[in-house]
Amino acid sequence: YQYILVTALYMLKPLVRTIFNSILISVAGMAVNAGYV
Amino acid sequence: MNSRGIWLAYLLLVTMLHVILLSIPVLTVPLVWTLTNVIHNLVMYLFLHTVKGTPFETPDQGKACLLTHWEQMDNGIQFTSSRKFLTISPIVLYILASFYTKYDATHFLVNTGTLLSVLLPKLPLFHGVR
Amino acid sequence: TTNASLYNKVFVEQFEETPLLVAVLTYMGYGILTIFGYLRDFLRHWGMEKCHVAREREEQKDFVPLYQDFENFYTRNLYMRIRDNWNRPICSVPGAKMDLLERASKDYNWTFQHTGKLVKDVINMGSYNYLGFAENTGRCADAATESTHHYGIGVGSTRYEMGNLDIHEELEQLVARFLGVESSMAFGMGFATNSMNIPALAGKGCLILSDELNHASLVLGARLSGSIIRVFKHNNMVSLEKLLRDAIVHGQPRTRRPWKKILILVEGIYSMEGSIVRLPEVIALKKRYKAFLYLDEAHSIGALGPRGGGVVDYFALDPKDVDIMMGTFTKSFGAAGGYIGGKRELIDYLRSHSHSAIYATSMSPPVSQQIITSMKIIMGEDGTTLGVVRLRQLSENTTYFRRKLREMGFIIYGNDDSPVVPMMLYMPAKIGAFGREMLKRNIGTVVVGFPATPIIESRARFCVSAAHTRDILDTDIFCLSICHSIGYFLSVYLSLNRIFS
């Protein structure tokens, strides 16, 4: 609840939330990977 | 652009853009810096110098409709702190990008071109010029 | 308090700064919404998402565009998603409690359907009903009903032509007595009282000094007048004095002639900030620099002061120091319309020069009667102490409600004595969430966001009323504390004052 409120996803459709979360997770994954490398 | 924390948010956004580009495995560091600079300048040019009007209704009888965001800032007063900050930040990014690309000619040309595209519209003599 | 010697009481006003983390997260939220707004506009443009907004037909594409589509970017991409919080249909009198018509939407608030059910006894924290005269029973309602039978409901002409009734005369004399001025004039619409009379008072060669957070009607009236307008920072006397000095030293632009007149426009209570004007200082400045003062008491008349006489009564000042006393009957008298009070020659001048007197139909008699009855109750001329009781109840409710919210750690703006209580929410999604959560608990609140407020100052705005009993407020505060626990993780409700204390 906090997460979707703070990122304002609360106001977007579930599909858009999925798009946003997948982008966020992939970017975070890449950043972690790059950090590790 | 004067409200509290917006400059910090802007710097965080540019930093986040750079980190995202850095974490793409295939990109080299010089390429990442040039891409950061180019994307930053493109977005800045789009939002500050291309889009006209306001994304909401304003009670000024449509006066803002024909002005870009940069021209609407501080009611058109030049050399305010926000304007100075937004003029200096692309220059700092350009200097960083030039340094990290080891002054390679190709990168230098691309970076200089995009820097000019966001610096020229900021000059007071281009205020309201189409 | 600066210039404390001018004040007859302690002037406590707080505008706690937005925490930096919250500000950055708020910009991030707006950034995410804007990016996805552009994405959805792109999908609409290529027909991949249904477009609900009105647009020109294909054949009209070559004409000048009717809709500046960027101008309603926020409306269609941000406001639509949470607009179930606004314009809720009510089907009862907007008293301490009210009944809402329940509605549902299948397409993310583009269209609504009534479910046929009622949300009954919703606690009304949104309406301007400071003294609780929004009632359909009691003395005011009976008097209004009687005058409806006697006069009918409308007047088919303007004041200037044939529309002056004895009830209007009675109302204006009563208002003059209530304000403590020589004469007054009543108008059928509050907004028009400002926007149609300021052009009659100022014109070319005049200077209008306006507070930056003045109401749209004051802004429109100032613009219509054709005067030069300069804006000073909200309730900031240093900024106002600087503008006054510059105006007098430099005179008019280009010609450098002295200004014909300088008119200072301020409001008694600012309904979005909950702040009270620093009237003693404004009056001291106007006397020193020989300017005129136009005081808009839309919210403060009836809601402030031991006699309900507004901000002049609250600071125990002389009404004659205010050149033009304006106010409305909407917020404290359960009616509609506005008035202007002042010297007799001013009012006589307005009677012959005001747009409203010449073009607008006169005030409806039952509305006039509602105002007369409620004003007599407030003045105690009805033989009861109901007016005093309500004034005291409002003052106690205001102090109690503000103190409780502050103790809970919410960030509250404005003056401690102002019945308008803005509670800060900051992020765009919280505007929608807060309004919905409160309605789930049977409380109707008003939430306000950008661009009606600065981008990092979205808020919920509570309007306390004398009609609220202590247990209603406790219910409200109890629900707020539930919302507080919901919002606990958000940690933005914890004002720095509380953390330090």
Side-chain angles (χ1 to χ4, degrees):
Chain A
Y1 192 65
Q2 164 198 357
Y3 166 71
I4 60 173
L5 271 178
V6 171
T7 53
L9 295 181
Y10 176 87
M11 293 160 69
L12 299 174
K13 286 179 183 168
L15 167 68
V16 179
R17 288 185 198 175
T18 313
I19 295 172
F20 179 82
N21 291 329
S22 45
I23 292 172
L24 189 67
I25 291 169
S26 51
V27 163
M30 283 194 316
V32 168
N33 170 55
Y36 174 69
V37 168
Chain B
M1 299 310 274
N2 294 317
S3 58
R4 176 176 163 73
I6 200 154
W7 295 4
L8 174 62
Y10 164 79
L11 293 176
L12 287 177
L13 221 53
V14 176
T15 310
M16 209 158 70
L17 168 69
H18 185 66
V19 168
I20 291 172
L21 291 171
L22 260 183
S23 56
I24 299 173
V26 297
L27 300 179
T28 61
V29 171
L31 192 54
V32 163
W33 276 100
T34 298
L35 273 178
T36 306
N37 188 38
V38 169
I39 294 171
H40 165 268
N41 291 340
L42 272 181
V43 172
M44 179 177 259
Y45 185 80
L46 180 76
F47 276 110
L48 285 186
H49 304 297
T50 309
V51 175
K52 290 187 187 66
T54 52
F56 46 82
E57 267 122 47
T58 47
D60 63 358
Q61 283 91 31
K63 199 165 52 186
C65 264
L66 304 174
L67 298 177
T68 62
H69 189 171
W70 178 260
E71 289 159 348
Q72 293 174 46
M73 263 168 59
D74 303 311
N75 296 314
I77 300 166
Q78 299 296 326
F79 303 116
T80 57
S81 48
S82 306
R83 287 173 184 266
K84 289 174 193 164
F85 172 75
L86 290 170
T87 306
I88 291 170
S89 56
I91 295 170
V92 169
L93 193 58
Y94 169 75
I95 292 169
L96 284 172
S98 304
F99 172 73
Y100 279 102
T101 56
K102 299 183 178 52
Y103 305 103
D104 168 77
T106 315
H107 288 280
F108 188 75
L109 278 178
V110 170
N111 287 328
T112 309
T114 58
L115 174 71
L116 288 177
S117 74
V118 291
L119 274 195
L120 290 179
K122 290 188 169 63
L123 298 176
L125 70 139
F126 282 114
H127 184 84
V129 171
R130 296 289 179 263
Chain C
T1 309
T2 55
N3 303 313
S5 57
L6 293 173
Y7 290 85
N8 64 332
K9 61 181 65 181
V10 179
F11 187 85
V12 180
E13 203 154 272
Q14 302 185 36
F15 296 97
E16 189 170 333
E17 243 185 1
T18 309
L20 204 53
L21 169 68
V22 171
V24 174
L25 291 177
T26 304
Y27 297 126
M28 190 191 74
Y30 276 102
I32 290 169
L33 292 172
T34 303
I35 290 169
F36 282 105
Y38 274 109
L39 172 71
R40 296 213 328 264
D41 276 356
F42 174 79
L43 297 177
R44 283 190 201 105
H45 182 73
W46 293 103
M48 288 177 252
E49 175 164 326
K50 187 169 183 303
C51 178
H52 300 264
V53 287
R55 299 212 298 194
E56 292 96 344
R57 292 199 308 272
E58 273 317 305
E59 304 80 28
Q60 295 168 323
K61 285 290 184 209
D62 301 333
F63 290 96
V64 172
L66 284 176
Y67 307 98
Q68 220 263 0
D69 69 341
F70 185 59
E71 198 159 63
N72 48 43
F73 178 89
Y74 267 34
T75 304
R76 65 174 179 267
N77 293 313
L78 275 73
Y79 170 68
M80 275 303 165
R81 281 295 155 82
I82 52 175
R83 76 169 178 151
D84 53 296
N85 287 293
W86 286 275
N87 308 314
R88 286 180 181 143
I90 73 172
C91 43
S92 72
V93 75
K97 295 196 174 187
M98 60 187 171
D99 304 337
L100 291 185
L101 262 183
E102 189 180 63
R103 55 185 186 178
S105 170
K106 299 186 188 74
D107 50 6
Y108 295 96
N109 296 337
W110 283 99
T111 58
F112 289 109
Q113 291 79 34
H114 287 308
T115 59
K117 281 185 264 174
L118 279 190
V119 185
K120 291 204 65 74
D121 287 339
V122 175
I123 294 179
N124 180 5
M125 292 306 290
S127 290
Y128 299 137
N129 177 28
Y130 299 126
L131 293 179
F133 282 113
E135 300 161 311
N136 52 10
T137 56
R139 196 188 308 245
C140 295
D142 301 341
T145 310
E146 194 185 311
S147 78
T148 306
H149 293 307
H150 181 58
Y151 290 100
I153 53 175
V155 182
S157 174
T158 67
R159 299 290 298 275
Y160 205 64
E161 193 185 24
M162 300 281 289
N164 221 17
L165 301 176
D166 57 350
I167 195 169
H168 294 138
E169 303 282 336
E170 182 193 353
L171 170 62
E172 291 173 346
Q173 283 148 23
L174 181 65
V175 170
R177 231 170 347 108
F178 181 58
L179 296 173
V181 294
E182 287 175 24
S183 177
S184 80
M185 185 173 178
F187 303 93
M189 179 181 173
F191 191 100
T193 309
N194 278 333
S195 58
M196 297 290 112
N197 286 306
I198 293 174
L201 297 168
K204 287 257 175 288
C206 299
L207 172 67
I208 287 182
L209 300 180
S210 173
D211 187 298
E212 70 180 331
L213 297 181
N214 269 346
H215 188 260
S217 57
L218 288 166
V219 174
L220 180 59
R223 284 205 176 115
L224 286 174
S225 67
S227 314
I228 300 277
I229 301 164
R230 289 184 187 156
V231 173
F232 60 92
K233 289 189 181 59
H234 175 56
N235 228 4
N236 184 319
M237 297 302 120
V238 174
S239 167
L240 172 57
E241 180 161 18
K242 184 173 179 326
L243 286 181
L244 277 166
R245 294 170 68 88
D246 288 352
I248 288 168
V249 167
H250 300 300
Q252 297 190 38
R254 208 169 41 78
T255 61
R256 297 292 161 221
R257 281 199 203 102
W259 295 99
K260 284 184 194 158
K261 73 176 80 133
I262 297 177
L263 187 62
I264 300 171
L265 293 188
V266 289
E267 287 184 36
I269 287 183
Y270 287 86
S271 65
M272 212 45 92
E273 306 302 311
S275 52
I276 295 176
V277 66
R278 295 169 181 273
L279 194 60
E281 296 182 64
V282 176
I283 288 178
L285 285 173
K286 101 170 201 80
K287 286 179 176 173
R288 179 174 183 186
Y289 293 100
K290 307 285 181 291
F292 293 98
L293 178 55
Y294 184 109
L295 176 63
D296 174 347
E297 296 217 61
H299 287 266
S300 49
I301 192 70
L304 270 188
R307 290 185 314 106
V311 75
V312 174
D313 184 28
Y314 175 72
F315 288 117
L317 298 166
D318 180 1
K320 292 178 181 51
D321 287 337
V322 180
D323 301 285
I324 300 132
M325 296 266 273
M326 179 270 167
T328 61
F329 303 117
T330 320
K331 286 92 180 176
S332 291
F333 303 89
Y339 66 84
I340 283 193
K343 289 195 169 49
R344 181 168 307 284
E345 53 267 15
L346 167 76
I347 302 301
D348 292 347
Y349 172 79
L350 280 180
R351 281 194 206 288
S352 52
H353 288 76
S354 156
H355 295 214
S356 279
I358 297 166
Y359 299 114
T361 52
S362 316
M363 185 184 269
S364 159
V367 173
S368 313
Q369 187 57 54
Q370 162 82 20
I371 298 162
I372 290 169
T373 315
S374 52
M375 197 170 273
K376 282 188 173 168
I377 290 173
I378 295 170
M379 294 165 80
E381 291 185 2
D382 65 328
T384 68
T385 58
L386 185 60
V388 174
V389 167
R390 289 194 179 197
L391 284 166
R392 192 178 314 120
Q393 181 72 40
L394 175 63
S395 170
E396 284 170 10
N397 285 354
T398 300
T399 314
Y400 177 72
F401 192 68
R402 280 180 164 271
R403 181 168 49 81
K404 278 287 183 183
L405 289 189
R406 208 160 265 141
E407 281 166 8
M408 253 187 261
F410 290 99
I411 294 182
I412 306 294
Y413 270 11
N415 194 300
D416 278 356
D417 293 332
S418 155
V420 176
V421 186
M423 189 189 92
M424 305 314 286
L425 298 176
Y426 299 114
M427 295 173 198
K430 288 186 199 139
I431 304 172
F434 189 82
R436 290 170 186 158
E437 293 295 333
M438 290 302 268
L439 186 60
K440 273 185 208 161
R441 293 160 181 78
N442 240 34
I443 296 176
T445 55
V446 164
V447 284
V448 194
F450 181 74
T453 62
I455 193 165
I456 52 170
E457 293 182 9
S458 302
R459 63 195 72 176
R461 191 196 55 195
F462 297 104
C463 284
V464 181
S465 166
H468 292 139
T469 56
R470 189 50 60 93
D471 71 310
I472 285 181
L473 290 183
D474 286 335
T475 317
D476 190 8
I477 286 172
F478 167 68
C479 286
L480 275 178
S481 63
I482 292 179
C483 277
H484 177 51
S485 57
I486 291 170
Y488 173 70
F489 291 111
L490 310 185
S491 75
V492 292
Y493 295 141
L494 298 180
S495 95
L496 300 182
N497 294 338
R498 189 178 99 136
I499 291 175
F500 290 132
S501 62

